[in-house]
């Protein structure tokens, strides 16, 4: 139970410095008082519940409203959309688009480039088109550290602990918490639920998450892994498709951010991202793994500042660094047209993806039920499927469709199935909310 005297929810305000954006916290009593009442509610008295899922980014707020039948566990999307241009600089108009199924209901500019203004607009739309009562709001939170291995109800103590983790994901977590603050103010009767990208990887064994650093540093800096909500969802979908309760799988979440997860009996035992989402595969604009000595050389010999090196690794590398474009469709189109820069970028990307396919196959002792491709690139690039699986797992795209929830692209007789699975992180978060409401 929460201590109501503590001032633990903070109103988020943004300020800027030359190179960074930071969030300033001011105390308010709202959260503790409201959450005490909410957590004491009995959600089992109503069969139908409405759950709002929020994904707050640095300059965006995505949402999906779900209607849940608590009796049958059916979950269906009612409204979805996103607000973009929520920037402190104000150099772009904050635009919001809201859809009901495939029908666009609203495409408009909102009054202020803040998460609170965007959520207020979303709340008004929800009330006018769908629901007056939101039972729970599920939040994607990128980094839960070792403190949050599972989804949780965000009470005042959880919020305080989450604020201490901002330094682990400074580009993500503060904005995720901003979404919690805005939601608590906008929907004071709703349960606030945190679902963590790192949570699914809490099962990675010590020998796999430990870096070979001096022990005092290795205890502080370790592999966490990310994209866990997506990896867990597609593994469950693949297991259901294969008619198995538990599977061994290698899951490729390939989008602007990319990671691979090694799955044994439905649990993550290794992944390519590490202490931060920078590690592992080359990505849209992130470098992925490089020799750490390069960073030392850039700092000591090339005259770069630590902020400039961080910007190079996060924003000027990956597909963008090699080819000049971070857009995978542009790079793939250039590859097919024979452009040398695009072809090199796509080959570097596919090579590294295939390298982890081989590594994780070895970790699983060659006992792999399926390979899963998901994410914007993973779901939509037959060229990548062919390059990665060539010589290992024959594939065919005869039955492949971008509209399928699951497409089996394995060639006949393949002992390991190759599946393309559409991810749905918002649905996965809604299901986590349902678990905590029971």
């Amino acid at each position: 139970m929460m201590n109501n005297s503590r001032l633990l929810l903070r109103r988020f305000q943004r300020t800027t410095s030359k190179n960074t954006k930071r969030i300033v916290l001011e105390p308010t009593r709202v959260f503790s008082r409201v959450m005490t009442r909410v957590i004491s509610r009995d959600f089992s008295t109503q069969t139908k519940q409405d759950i709002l899922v929020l994904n707050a980014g640095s300059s965006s707020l995505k949402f999906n409203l779900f209607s849940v039948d608590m009796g049958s566990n059916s979950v269906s999307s009612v409204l979805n959309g996103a607000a973009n241009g929520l920037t402190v600089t104000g150099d772009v108009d904050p635009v919001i688009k809201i859809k009901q199924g495939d029908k666009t209901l609203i495409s408009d500019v909102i009054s202020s480039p803040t998460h609170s203004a965007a959520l207020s607009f979303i709340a008004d739309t929800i009330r006018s088109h769908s629901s007056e009562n939101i039972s729970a709001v599920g939040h994607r939170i990128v980094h839960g550290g070792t403190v949050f291995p599972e989804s949780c109800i965000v009470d005042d103590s959880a919020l305080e602990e989450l604020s201490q983790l901002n330094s682990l994901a400074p580009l993500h977590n503060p904005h995720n918490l901003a979404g919690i603050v805005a939601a608590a103010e906008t929907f004071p009767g709703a349960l606030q639920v945190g679902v963590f990208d790192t949570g699914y990887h809490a099962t990675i064994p010590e020998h796999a998450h430990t870096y070979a650093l001096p022990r005092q540093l290795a205890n502080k800096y370790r592999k966490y892994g990310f994209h866990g909500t997506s990896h867990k969802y597609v593994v469950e979908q693949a297991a259901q498709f294969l008619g198995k309760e538990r599977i061994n799988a290698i899951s490729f979440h390939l989008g602007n951010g990319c990671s691979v997860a090694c799955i044994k009996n439905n649990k993550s035992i290794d992944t390519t991202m590490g202490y931060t989402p920078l590690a592992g595969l080359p990505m849209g604009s992130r470098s992925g793994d490089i020799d750490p000595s390069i960073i030392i050389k850039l700092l000591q010999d090339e005259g770069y500042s630590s902020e400039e090196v961080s910007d190079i690794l996060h924003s000027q590398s990956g597909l963008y660094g090699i080819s000049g474009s971070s857009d995978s469709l542009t790079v793939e189109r250039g590859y097919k047209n024979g452009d040398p820069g695009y072809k090199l970028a796509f080959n570097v990307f596919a090579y590294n993806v295939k390298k982890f396919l081989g590594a994780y196959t070895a970790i699983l002792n060659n006992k792999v039920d399926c390979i899963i491709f998901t994410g914007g690139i993973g779901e939509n690039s037959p060229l990548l499927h062919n390059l990665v699986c060539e010589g290992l797992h024959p594939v065919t795209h005869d039955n492949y469709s971008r509209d399928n929830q699951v497409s089996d692209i394995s060639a006949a007789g393949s002992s390991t199935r190759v599946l393309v699975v559409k991810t749905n992180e918002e649905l996965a978060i809604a299901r986590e909310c349902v678990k905590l409401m029971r």
Side-chain angles (χ1 to χ4, degrees):
M1 188 58 66
M2 297 168 291
N3 182 348
N4 292 334
S5 65
R6 299 183 68 189
L7 308 177
L8 294 177
L9 180 68
R10 321 291 173 83
R11 186 182 305 278
F12 284 70
Q13 297 179 327
R14 297 179 179 187
T15 64
T16 58
S17 64
K18 182 177 180 181
N19 296 310
T20 62
K21 296 177 183 177
R22 61 188 177 90
I23 287 177
V24 179
L25 306 177
E26 292 180 354
T28 176
R29 297 180 186 274
V30 175
F31 192 82
S32 184
R33 186 171 60 248
V34 168
M35 289 308 295
T36 300
R37 297 198 303 269
V38 172
I39 291 177
S40 64
R41 284 178 58 187
D42 181 4
F43 292 96
S44 64
T45 58
Q46 290 181 294
T47 302
K48 180 181 176 296
Q49 304 282 356
D50 290 324
I51 295 175
L52 177 64
V53 173
L54 297 179
N55 184 349
S58 60
S59 61
S60 66
L61 180 64
K62 300 177 184 177
F63 83 95
N64 205 321
L65 176 67
F66 293 93
S67 178
V68 181
D69 187 317
M70 300 293 281
S72 65
N73 281 329
S74 65
V75 181
S76 57
S77 177
V78 179
L79 292 172
N80 68 87
N84 294 290
L86 308 181
T87 64
V88 296
T89 57
D91 56 343
V92 294
D93 289 331
V95 176
I96 190 165
K97 293 184 179 180
I98 297 177
K99 298 173 68 177
Q100 191 169 43
D102 294 328
K103 179 184 177 182
T104 299
L105 295 179
I106 294 171
S107 180
D108 203 355
V109 176
I110 55 178
S111 59
S112 174
T114 65
H115 288 82
S116 293
L119 189 56
S120 178
F121 192 104
I122 291 167
D124 289 342
T125 305
I126 288 173
R127 293 181 183 117
S128 62
H129 286 83
S130 178
S131 176
E132 289 286 338
N133 298 304
I134 302 297
S135 299
V137 182
H139 301 268
R140 178 207 177 202
I141 303 175
V142 168
H143 215 310
T146 57
V147 183
F148 297 98
E150 297 178 336
S151 303
C152 73
I153 294 170
V154 183
D155 60 14
D156 59 352
S157 60
L159 191 72
E160 174 70 8
E161 290 182 292
L162 281 169
S163 69
Q164 303 303 313
L165 300 177
N166 282 348
S167 62
L168 293 178
L171 300 180
H172 299 88
N173 266 37
H175 304 289
N176 301 155
L177 299 191
I180 297 175
V181 172
E185 294 177 343
T186 307
F187 302 104
L191 202 66
Q192 304 298 320
V193 175
V195 181
F196 304 92
D197 276 13
T198 49
Y200 184 55
H201 301 300
T203 52
I204 293 177
E206 185 178 21
H207 66 265
H209 71 59
T210 300
Y211 292 124
L213 294 169
R215 192 62 189 172
Q216 68 273 19
L217 292 176
N219 288 337
K220 183 177 181 180
Y221 300 102
R222 50 155 288 179
K223 175 183 287 190
Y224 288 104
F226 300 89
H227 292 141
T229 303
S230 176
H231 285 301
K232 180 182 180 183
Y233 177 81
V234 297
V235 167
E236 291 173 347
Q237 293 293 302
Q240 182 178 347
F241 180 82
L242 297 175
K244 295 185 176 184
E245 188 172 330
R246 296 186 176 277
I247 60 172
N248 291 352
I250 301 171
S251 173
F252 294 92
H253 179 104
L254 307 175
N256 192 52
C258 303
S259 69
V260 191
C262 184
I263 310 299
K264 185 175 182 179
N265 293 326
N266 288 21
K267 294 185 177 182
S268 174
I269 62 170
D270 201 359
T271 188
T272 52
M273 284 182 169
Y275 178 71
T276 74
L278 182 61
L281 297 171
M283 306 174 219
S285 64
R286 281 173 263 177
S287 64
D289 292 342
I290 64 170
D291 184 338
S293 295
I294 296 173
I295 298 172
I296 298 171
K297 294 288 285 185
L298 291 175
L299 292 169
Q300 293 182 349
D301 298 346
E302 300 290 342
Y304 289 97
S305 68
S306 59
E307 291 83 5
E308 289 170 331
V309 171
S310 178
D311 184 62
I312 289 170
L313 298 177
H314 284 91
S315 304
Q316 299 181 41
S317 299
L319 296 179
Y320 177 80
I322 299 172
S323 72
S325 175
S326 62
D327 179 60
S328 62
L329 292 176
T330 299
V331 175
E332 182 169 338
R333 192 179 305 116
Y335 175 99
K336 292 176 179 177
N337 291 333
D339 180 278
Y342 288 133
K343 193 164 186 177
L344 176 60
F346 205 82
N347 279 333
V348 168
F349 179 65
Y351 171 81
N352 278 274
V353 174
K354 186 169 186 171
K355 182 169 65 176
F356 280 107
L357 172 58
Y360 285 165
T361 298
I363 294 298
L364 292 170
N365 295 319
N366 204 29
K367 297 177 180 178
V368 182
D369 295 299
C370 66
I371 296 161
I372 303 168
F373 288 101
T374 193
I377 305 173
E379 294 171 23
N380 297 293
S381 179
L383 172 62
L384 182 71
H385 305 155
N386 290 330
L387 290 175
V388 172
C389 294
E390 183 181 10
L392 296 172
H393 307 287
V395 296
T396 175
H397 289 84
D398 293 344
N399 298 316
Y400 165 76
S401 171
R402 290 180 172 86
D403 296 328
N404 291 344
Q405 175 59 40
V406 182
S407 290
D408 187 345
I409 61 171
S410 317
S414 176
S415 59
T416 298
R417 307 284 281 278
V418 182
L419 307 178
V420 179
V421 184
K422 292 176 70 173
T423 192
N424 192 331
E425 292 170 288
E426 289 82 10
L427 177 58
I429 292 171
R431 288 174 175 170
E432 289 295 305
C433 291
V434 172
K435 290 179 184 177
L436 290 171
M437 290 167 66
R438 292 194 181 280

